[in-house]
Amino acid sequence: MKNSRLVINSLSAVGQVIAVGITYLVLYRYLKDTIGIELLGVWSLIIATTSVALIANFGISTSIIKFVATYHTRGDLESLKKLIFTSSVFIIVTYTIISLLILVFGNFILPYVIEKKYVAVAQEILPYSLISLIINALGGVISSCLDGIQKNYIKSYILSFSALILLVLSMLLTKDYGLKGLVFAQIFQGILVLLISVFFIARSVPGIFTLKWNWSKTLFKEIIDYGLKMQALSIMQMSFEPITKVMLSKFGGVAMVGYYEMANRLVSQFRSLIVSANQVVIPIVAEAKENNTGYIKSLYLKTFSIVFILNILLVSGIIVMTPLISYFWIGEIVPFFIFAVVLNCIAVFINICSNPAYFSYLGEGQLNWLIYSYFAITVINALFCYVFGLFFKEFGVVIAWNLAFSIGSLIVVYSYQIKNKIQWKELLNSNDLQLLLMAFLYSIFGFKTATALFNGHNNWWFAGLFLICLSLFILLFLKNQNVAFVLNQIKRKPSTDVK
């Protein structure tokens, strides 16, 4: 039953990423064609600005998964009631206070980070964006309860469905209300996620919701004590996008922010395919830490090897397709968009390789190196974005962010392997390295071939080399032992006793 639930939750998480990713690809193209890339950039900056309110979360969304799982396993319904009530009240109050502060100070700050002609639009949608943020924060806490009772797949279905609703409403409302219509659609999406999550939790755990005042000081202290360990990471992480986008706006303008938002969304969505499936190792590592510490290393070795192969496949594919994506998604070849996608892909490749170490650290409850990593990213990103932006404008900002992201990721993977005395030769064999080399070559030649095609040139040399390298890549891929392992796991029939 555990294996079956694990398979279903993992596959549904991947399915959610695909569904949401496709939805946003369509939405971003539609927004670019209707409201324009500049207003898309304004919306992106407002999202980045309001994300400062995430400081009010205090790691509650992460904490509630652990505590819901604990009390649900014990059958302690009273504690579950108090836990959900206490968490919900805390989130509503803190997010409301932070949002009011952002609303007051945001009107003074926006003129300094957004071009003058778009300031009025940004100030108009800021209050609605903050309302959306509060609703989504509460919905995030309630939907996390589904993770706690191991109904992750229901949460995935809800988020996938709500993304489709967001797309439809955005298309309907932006025609009459412009950018404000997009925010209205987000508010409705948040309400929908909240209500459906409440329905399924109440159905799974009858009597869990009550109108009675159920605040618990004891549970509140437990949640905060656990959540603050993750909040330190969240506070630094929430600065990544605002700093990068503000610098992009300063050195390149809101249009460049819009193109970067599209590039970042594209790569991040594909990255989530691997990350979402990789996250399932957290409870496995936590259990192994208690019962079989030797298994942690073998699990890391196997997870890294599989992630490495999938990572190569994903990143090389995106790079080759980037010119085509630019043409069909944006409607033209945009050099800055292509530049941002390629650089993001390189940094994401390094970051995905660090994910097994990242999630193992989380499972073991050892967060120090993760904090060091995020601190390095925060400082390097802020410093390099400004310096590189002065010399290379918007291109320099993109280089700076991806350099900072890569350095932080390397800190995680190297520290974990040193701590656990893991050598690279234990992780990668000759076939893996050959596969990486062929992927590198076919990515270059494939990218060059696609670029030449859209520039009206037929470079047969690049096309021929691309096909040769791609053929060798496929042969090496099919011979890889980790690929064979994954295929065997997929062919296995999981048990169907999942409720």
Side-chain angles (χ1 to χ4, degrees):
M1 182 174 178
K2 286 183 179 180
N3 290 335
S4 179
R5 185 183 293 120
L6 189 63
V7 170
I8 290 175
N9 286 337
S10 298
L11 292 178
S12 62
V14 172
Q16 174 203 324
V17 171
I18 295 172
V20 173
I22 293 173
T23 301
Y24 273 97
L25 285 173
V26 176
L27 177 61
Y28 277 39
R29 175 58 193 264
Y30 174 80
L31 293 175
K32 177 192 171 290
D33 292 341
T34 52
I35 65 175
I37 193 66
E38 288 83 6
L39 285 179
L40 179 60
V42 171
W43 176 58
S44 177
L45 277 169
I46 291 298
I47 291 175
T49 302
T50 55
S51 68
V52 173
L54 292 174
I55 193 172
N57 186 276
F58 285 95
I60 296 294
S61 295
T62 305
S63 302
I64 201 167
I65 297 175
K66 174 185 181 298
F67 289 107
V68 165
T70 300
Y71 295 123
H72 183 252
T73 302
R74 295 176 184 174
D76 189 346
L77 182 61
E78 284 305 311
S79 292
L80 276 175
K81 289 179 182 178
K82 292 178 181 179
L83 175 68
I84 294 175
F85 184 87
T86 302
S87 302
S88 299
V89 170
F90 178 73
I91 284 293
I92 292 171
V93 171
T94 53
Y95 266 79
T96 300
I97 293 172
I98 297 294
S99 294
L100 288 173
L101 291 173
I102 292 174
L103 186 61
V104 172
F105 292 104
N107 288 320
F108 294 102
I109 296 172
L110 287 176
Y112 295 97
V113 297
I114 292 179
E115 294 170 35
K116 188 175 181 180
K117 59 182 177 179
Y118 297 114
V119 170
V121 177
Q123 290 175 333
E124 183 182 17
I125 67 168
L126 180 60
Y128 299 105
S129 294
L130 291 168
I131 291 171
S132 174
L133 187 73
I134 295 169
I135 295 170
N136 285 325
L138 180 59
V141 169
I142 300 300
S143 63
S144 291
C145 296
L146 290 168
D147 294 329
I149 60 175
Q150 298 187 47
K151 296 290 180 74
N152 314 59
Y153 61 94
I154 295 179
K155 179 180 177 180
S156 296
Y157 298 154
I158 294 171
L159 295 179
S160 299
F161 174 70
S162 70
L164 181 61
I165 296 298
L166 172 66
L167 174 63
V168 174
L169 286 178
S170 296
M171 289 181 169
L172 293 173
L173 295 175
T174 51
K175 290 179 181 178
D176 297 324
Y177 300 99
L179 194 57
K180 192 188 292 185
L182 176 59
V183 183
F184 288 161
Q186 287 183 299
I187 292 173
F188 184 86
Q189 180 197 26
I191 294 172
L192 187 67
V193 170
L194 175 61
L195 293 178
I196 298 178
S197 297
V198 168
F199 171 78
F200 278 105
I201 294 167
R203 187 178 177 183
S204 301
V205 187
I208 195 170
F209 293 109
T210 176
L211 296 177
K212 137 177 157 180
W213 183 264
N214 254 336
W215 179 269
S216 171
K217 289 183 180 179
T218 303
L219 282 175
F220 176 71
K221 186 175 183 302
E222 284 187 50
I223 296 169
I224 293 298
D225 286 347
Y226 183 85
L228 283 176
K229 296 175 184 178
M230 290 298 298
Q231 186 66 359
L233 295 175
S234 298
I235 290 173
M236 287 183 282
Q237 186 179 29
M238 74 182 184
S239 73
F240 297 167
E241 275 200 26
I243 289 174
T244 305
K245 289 177 179 177
V246 166
M247 291 298 178
L248 269 176
S249 179
K250 176 180 176 62
F251 293 112
V254 292
M256 295 302 104
V257 179
Y259 285 128
Y260 176 78
E261 173 69 17
M262 296 178 77
N264 189 49
R265 170 67 68 173
L266 171 73
V267 179
S268 297
Q269 206 64 41
F270 278 108
R271 170 184 174 270
S272 298
L273 287 171
I274 298 178
V275 174
S276 60
N278 198 181
Q279 284 176 327
V280 299
V281 306
I282 297 176
I284 299 173
V285 171
E287 182 181 349
K289 186 173 175 60
E290 299 295 324
N291 304 322
N292 182 12
T293 54
Y295 180 61
I296 295 177
K297 180 177 179 179
S298 62
L299 178 64
Y300 174 79
L301 294 175
K302 177 55 71 177
T303 303
F304 183 95
S305 299
I306 294 172
V307 165
F308 182 77
I309 299 301
L310 297 177
N311 197 5
I312 290 175
L313 195 64
L314 176 73
V315 170
S316 60
I318 297 174
I319 291 175
V320 170
M321 297 296 292
T322 299
L324 280 77
I325 293 171
S326 177
Y327 183 79
F328 289 108
W329 193 21
I330 300 177
E332 59 181 319
I333 298 296
V334 180
F336 176 74
F337 170 81
I338 293 175
F339 178 81
V341 170
V342 172
L343 254 68
N344 280 11
C345 279
I346 295 170
V348 159
F349 177 83
I350 297 171
N351 175 257
I352 291 176
C353 284
S354 74
N355 281 172
Y358 180 89
F359 291 124
S360 293
Y361 269 138
L362 288 181
E364 294 177 37
Q366 300 179 11
L367 305 181
N368 286 349
W369 278 106
L370 302 185
I371 292 173
Y372 300 152
S373 165
Y374 275 37
F375 180 76
I377 294 174
T378 303
V379 173
I380 294 171
N381 186 42
L383 178 62
F384 282 21
C385 274
Y386 183 77
V387 174
F388 285 28
L390 286 174
F391 290 98
F392 307 108
K393 302 301 180 184
E394 65 269 20
F395 293 94
V397 174
V398 174
I399 292 171
W401 156 245
N402 285 289
L403 185 60
F405 194 40
S406 299
I407 291 172
S409 301
L410 289 172
I411 288 173
V412 173
V413 69
Y414 272 100
S415 65
Y416 187 82
Q417 291 182 189
I418 290 172
K419 181 178 79 73
N420 291 281
K421 299 179 181 177
I422 298 172
Q423 299 182 359
W424 283 105
K425 63 182 180 181
E426 297 179 76
L427 293 168
L428 304 173
N429 57 38
S430 59
N431 180 274
D432 295 329
L433 297 177
Q434 291 168 7
L435 196 65
L436 179 61
L437 176 61
M438 283 301 110
F440 175 74
L441 293 175
Y442 104 73
S443 296
I444 292 176
F445 296 133
F447 178 83
K448 288 285 189 181
T449 301
T451 304
L453 181 65
F454 284 105
N455 287 333
H457 305 296
N458 292 323
N459 196 316
W460 298 111
W461 280 105
F462 280 136
L465 290 169
F466 165 65
L467 291 174
I468 291 171
C469 292
L470 178 60
S471 299
L472 291 172
F473 174 82
I474 293 172
L475 288 174
L476 289 167
F477 181 80
L478 294 175
K479 285 174 58 180
N480 190 275
Q481 60 184 13
N482 292 307
V483 173
F485 174 81
V486 172
L487 292 175
N488 286 334
Q489 293 300 308
I490 293 174
K491 288 177 184 177
R492 283 186 180 178
K493 272 191 168 183
S495 61
T496 57
D497 56 343
V498 179
K499 298 181 181 181

